[in-house]
């Protein structure tokens, strides 16, 4: 156990709780035959549709979405391969839906393509995307709405590093019906998309310089000796220092209606809880606030709405949800600009 890093395992689904004490490598997880297999096949169909007949990066189960450094192989989080583990992940950290799984697969395929054909070593790639060997940051401050970068994964992720910029550009190019030429017309980012389009055409029938069969799978699931609980204690950020008293009660009381309950009112916490994942997703996507902190922010809003016994009026529910979305977004921007959500 890591001191000061208590996770709410008591709120995890009872049917999944038994897995917490088991070493991950002993869970018998396999990609073949799992719910993930169809997404991998979809990725391969998309690559084929784009003419990449020689590029089929292998996929394997690991601890996170990843391509090991300069290795053309795709790691997929192990918890997506089992229904009980999915329920556990959903309770602790939210679970990727089908759309997000494909977004991440396309992104990692971009890394794999870059590594397989060693584009990151070429002068044109360096001119467009920047130095591949730039130090990789743990955190970064994006420039919202910059047209030098495509939009794909939440948090203006293409701005994190040149390697991520290429992977995001590749993912947008690969996405069916993305209509990237029209969407990015007039953007500096269009030049990057046109580069990806040209290079994939030129390399469509060329064998990868870095053989796909030789790619090294870093930390495959059958080598993960830590227990499931240890994995979550290691990987879930401790956001406790950032969330204490972060929601100004007065603003919540202005948006919602105080109790007692009466006809035409629904508990605000109940309404917000149903809306929580969407709100978290949008805050992370549009502001760049790390998702774990956006999730805690939304959870705190729901908790305070419950503790303050606030209600939603049926006739004003849409407006109240808009108001709380704006409030949460403003709090997120305060944190990004000033390092705290609200003055105390």
């Amino acid at each position: 156990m890591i001191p000061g890093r208590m996770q709410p395992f008591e709120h995890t689904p009872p049917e999944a709780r038994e897995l917490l004490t088991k070493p991950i490598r002993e869970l018998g997880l396999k990609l073949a035959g799992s719910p993930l297999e169809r997404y991998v096949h979809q990725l391969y169909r998309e690559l084929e549709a784009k003419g990449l007949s020689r590029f089929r990066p292998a996929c394997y189960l690991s601890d996170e979405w990843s391509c090991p450094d300069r290795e053309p192989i795709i790691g997929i989080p192990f918890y997506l391969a089992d229904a009980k583990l999915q329920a556990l992940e959903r309770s602790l950290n939210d679970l990727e839906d089908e759309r997000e799984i494909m977004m991440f697969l396309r992104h990692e395929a971009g890394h794999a393509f870059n590594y397989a054909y060693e584009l990151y070593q070429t002068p044109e790639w360096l001119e467009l995307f920047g130095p591949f060997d730039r130090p990789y940051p743990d955190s970064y401050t994006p420039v919202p709405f910059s047209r030098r970068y495509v939009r794909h994964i939440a948090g203006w992720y293409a701005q994190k590093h040149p390697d991520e910029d290429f992977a995001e550009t590749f993912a947008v190019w690969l996405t069916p019906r993305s209509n990237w030429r029209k969407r990015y017309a007039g953007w500096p980012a269009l030049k990057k998309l046109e580069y990806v389009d040209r290079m994939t055409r030129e390399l469509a029938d060329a064998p990868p310089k870095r053989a796909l069969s030789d790619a090294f799978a870093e930390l495959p699931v059958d080598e993960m000796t830590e227990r499931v609980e240890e994995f979550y204690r290691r990987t879930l950020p401790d956001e406790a220092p950032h969330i204490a008293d972060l929601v100004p009660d007065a603003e919540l009381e202005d948006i919602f209606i105080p109790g007692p309950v009466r006809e035409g009112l629904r508990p605000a916490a109940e309404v917000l809880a149903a809306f929580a994942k969407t709100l978290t997703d949008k805050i992370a996507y549009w502001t760049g606030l790390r998702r774990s902190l956006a999730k805690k922010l939304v959870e705190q809003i729901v908790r305070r709405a419950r503790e303050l016994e606030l209600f939603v009026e049926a006739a004003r529910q849409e407006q109240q949800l808009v108001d709380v979305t704006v409030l949460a977004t403003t709090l997120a921007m305060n944190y990004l600009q000033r390092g705290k959500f609200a003055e105390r």
Side-chain angles (χ1 to χ4, degrees):
M1 179 183 298
I2 302 174
R5 290 284 305 277
M6 296 300 295
Q7 300 298 339
F9 293 115
E10 66 273 15
H11 300 305
T12 56
E15 67 275 13
R17 208 170 297 160
E18 64 185 27
L19 300 177
L20 290 170
T21 60
K22 295 184 178 180
I24 295 170
R25 69 178 183 182
E26 295 180 11
L27 296 177
L29 300 174
K30 296 185 181 302
L31 183 58
S34 77
L36 285 167
E37 194 172 26
R38 65 188 179 99
Y39 300 115
V40 174
H41 289 318
Q42 181 178 333
L43 174 68
Y44 292 163
R45 287 194 297 271
E46 291 177 7
L47 293 169
E48 180 71 29
K50 287 288 193 175
L52 294 175
S53 59
R54 304 289 295 271
F55 178 62
R56 289 292 180 281
C59 297
Y60 71 103
L61 297 178
S62 188
D63 63 336
E64 62 180 349
W65 291 104
S66 65
C67 270
D69 185 28
R70 303 172 210 204
E71 297 287 347
I73 189 170
I74 297 174
I76 302 176
F78 68 91
Y79 55 76
L80 289 170
D82 177 83
K84 288 184 179 180
L85 287 169
Q86 287 181 6
L88 187 61
E89 173 71 14
R90 185 182 293 110
S91 70
L92 291 169
N93 200 33
D94 286 341
L95 185 72
E96 294 94 325
D97 58 22
E98 293 186 8
R99 173 179 167 273
E100 291 167 326
I101 289 172
M102 289 309 306
M103 288 176 70
F104 288 127
L105 278 173
R106 295 176 188 123
H107 174 93
E108 300 302 342
H111 284 304
F113 186 82
N114 189 19
Y115 305 158
Y117 291 94
E118 298 180 349
L119 297 177
Y120 59 88
Q121 295 183 353
T122 63
E124 187 176 8
W125 193 98
L126 294 168
E127 181 181 352
L128 280 172
F129 298 99
F132 181 81
D133 58 358
R134 178 184 297 169
Y136 199 88
D138 292 328
S139 61
Y140 64 105
T141 302
V143 179
F145 306 108
S146 171
R147 294 194 166 196
R148 295 175 56 207
Y149 304 90
V150 298
R151 293 298 315 278
H152 184 61
I153 291 175
W156 319 94
Y157 197 65
Q159 300 185 36
K160 187 170 186 177
H161 188 273
D163 195 18
E164 303 299 351
D165 189 7
F166 178 84
E168 286 287 84
T169 304
F170 183 95
V172 168
W173 169 85
L174 181 62
T175 302
R177 299 175 296 281
S178 66
N179 199 14
W180 56 267
R181 290 188 186 277
K182 181 178 179 180
R183 180 181 178 187
Y184 291 96
W187 291 40
L190 182 62
K191 190 174 182 180
K192 299 174 183 178
L193 284 158
E194 290 173 339
Y195 166 81
V196 169
D197 188 60
R198 175 166 51 83
M199 295 308 299
T200 51
R201 292 176 188 275
E202 290 179 8
L203 298 171
D205 297 320
K209 291 184 177 181
R210 175 76 169 86
L212 302 182
S213 59
D214 295 338
F216 171 74
E218 185 176 51
L219 196 61
V221 71
D222 56 3
E223 295 180 8
M224 295 178 66
T225 58
E226 64 184 346
R227 294 179 291 114
V228 173
E229 181 177 352
E230 292 171 335
F231 165 79
Y232 280 109
R233 293 196 186 281
R234 174 175 62 84
T235 58
L236 288 183
D238 179 16
E239 303 292 13
H242 306 282
I243 64 172
D245 299 324
L246 60 83
V247 179
D249 291 348
E251 279 68 19
L252 286 180
E253 291 170 331
D254 284 344
I255 293 172
F256 299 110
I257 298 171
V261 65
R262 53 190 184 273
E263 186 176 354
L265 300 182
R266 290 180 60 195
E270 175 185 302
V271 174
L272 290 171
F275 182 60
K277 185 179 187 301
T278 299
L279 182 54
T280 299
D281 290 343
K282 296 305 180 184
I283 290 171
Y285 184 82
W286 288 109
T287 70
L289 185 70
R290 61 181 177 272
R291 197 180 190 289
S292 57
L293 190 51
K295 184 174 187 290
K296 291 297 183 183
L297 169 62
V298 173
E299 289 175 350
Q300 184 84 335
I301 290 174
V302 174
R303 183 178 70 81
R304 290 305 293 154
R306 181 181 300 111
E307 293 171 348
L308 294 169
E309 297 183 345
L310 300 176
F311 293 86
V312 168
E313 185 179 6
R316 295 181 55 233
Q317 177 172 318
E318 183 175 328
Q319 182 60 53
Q320 289 173 307
L321 287 175
V322 169
D323 288 345
V324 79
T325 300
V326 173
L327 171 63
T329 303
T330 302
L331 290 168
M333 293 307 298
N334 277 352
Y335 181 86
L336 290 171
Q337 294 175 5
R338 303 169 62 202
K340 53 187 174 182
F341 288 98
E343 290 286 354
R344 288 294 176 188

